[in-house]
Amino acid sequence: SALGDGRAQQTIDELARARGERAAMAASGRANADEVAARQQPIDELVRATAERTATAASDRANSDEVVASRLDVERLGEELGALSGGTQACDQASLRSTEAEREARLQE
């Protein structure tokens, strides 16, 4: 029976060693997961910062495009105003000539 007790003790020791190894592997796995998470955090922050910069750049481009479009609108409106102003001056001159012609006609009567 001493032989049986020795085998039982050996089995108990092997089970304890296997349990210890599993516990060590689990602890190592948790440590590895923590290390992976720690390494992932700066990557996540970099991705987030890059996304923010990309969004800011897109917004800046949109604002720049809007400014260019506004400048083109102002230039076009300036040209239209110039054309209207020239037309108004021509009308004013024609009206003045008409008024002078009427005055001369009355004087000749």
Side-chain angles (χ1 to χ4, degrees):
S1 184
L3 183 60
D5 288 344
R7 282 190 177 159
Q9 185 60 44
Q10 184 180 6
T11 303
I12 291 171
D13 291 345
E14 287 174 5
L15 288 173
R17 185 173 51 254
R19 194 176 304 151
E21 288 173 2
R22 282 196 305 271
M25 287 174 35
S28 175
R30 283 191 299 275
N32 287 341
D34 290 346
E35 184 177 341
V36 167
R39 288 182 181 179
Q40 186 64 37
Q41 184 179 1
I43 293 170
D44 292 344
E45 290 174 5
L46 181 61
V47 168
R48 188 173 27 260
T50 301
E52 289 173 2
R53 283 195 299 272
T54 301
T56 299
S59 174
D60 290 349
R61 279 193 302 277
N63 289 341
S64 177
D65 291 347
E66 188 175 329
V67 167
V68 168
S70 294
R71 286 182 182 161
L72 292 175
D73 285 345
V74 167
E75 288 176 12
R76 182 183 51 77
L77 290 173
E79 290 170 2
E80 289 177 10
L81 182 59
L84 289 173
S85 177
T88 301
Q89 288 176 352
C91 285
D92 288 347
Q93 290 173 355
S95 177
L96 185 59
R97 283 193 298 272
S98 174
T99 303
E100 288 176 8
E102 287 177 13
R103 205 177 309 157
E104 285 182 29
R106 284 188 195 148
L107 288 175
Q108 289 178 0
E109 287 179 0

